[in-house]
Amino acid sequence: MARKSKRIDKTGAGMANLFEMVEEVTIAKVDQPNYQLNTKPMSQRVREVVSEALKRMDCKRWEVAGRMSELCGVEITESMLNAWTAESKENHRFPLELVPAFCQVTGDYTLIEMTAFACGCMVVQSKDAFLLRMGQISQMKRALSQQEGELRRRYEKLYGGKL
């Protein structure tokens, strides 16, 4: 009994290409986050973002401070977190060197995203960076395949035989 050959869609028409999707994204198409950077001072937004992230945590602030201390090797206390989030303590600002530990402990990357957005950038998490790179490789493969096909056609046209 003859085996049926499987039909393979070589056009890729039914598959979405991540790189093409990312390439199509423009600032106008992206839902711009409501960081209110134009209407509020950055220091106030930092306070709000840190406070909101702490409110969403299932643990107490002293636990967050303890975990951050372990990651940074610097003592961070609950009262320090409270001072950094209190509107009445204008001279107490969240230190930049603690942002990575804070984001790791809380699992909230809004602080980094907001800072990047203020600089005109966007944050891509590590796992998404792998997907983006795979999309780039896929795009390069497609371009090389097209170049190879064009060279084969030229060869056949010039020399009359298949390569």
Side-chain angles (χ1 to χ4, degrees), residues 63-78:
E63 291 177 88
V64 172
R67 290 185 202 162
M68 286 177 62
S69 295
E70 289 174 9
L71 288 172
C72 295
V74 176
E75 185 181 355
I76 299 165
T77 64
E78 179 182 9

Side-chain angles (χ1 to χ4, degrees), residues 8-109:
I8 299 173
D9 180 15
K10 293 182 181 177
T11 63
M15 298 169 53
N17 182 333
L18 180 63
F19 185 68
E20 288 174 356
M21 290 188 308
V22 171
E23 206 172 53
E24 292 173 4
V25 173
T26 62
I27 296 301
K29 290 182 182 178
V30 175
D31 289 334
Q32 294 195 357
N34 184 19
Y35 293 132
Q36 300 176 4
L37 297 174
N38 296 332
T39 58
K40 291 184 182 180
M42 187 66 151
S43 59
Q44 184 178 352
R45 280 303 299 144
V46 168
R47 256 189 213 93
E48 290 173 358
V49 166
V50 170
S51 182
E52 290 166 12
L54 290 170
K55 286 177 187 173
R56 284 192 291 272
M57 291 294 295
D58 291 334
C59 58
K60 301 287 184 190
R61 287 184 179 212
W62 61 267
E63 291 177 88
V64 172
R67 290 185 202 162
M68 286 177 62
S69 295
E70 289 174 9
L71 288 172
C72 295
V74 176
E75 185 181 355
I76 299 165
T77 64
E78 179 182 9
S79 61
M80 292 168 82
L81 285 175
N82 291 336
W84 293 330
T85 57
E87 289 183 32
S88 61
K89 309 250 182 179
E90 289 183 20
N91 293 331
H92 292 80
R93 299 198 176 192
F94 194 88
L96 177 64
E97 63 269 14
L98 300 181
V99 171
F102 179 79
C103 292
Q104 279 185 311
V105 170
T106 61
D108 186 318
Y109 297 91

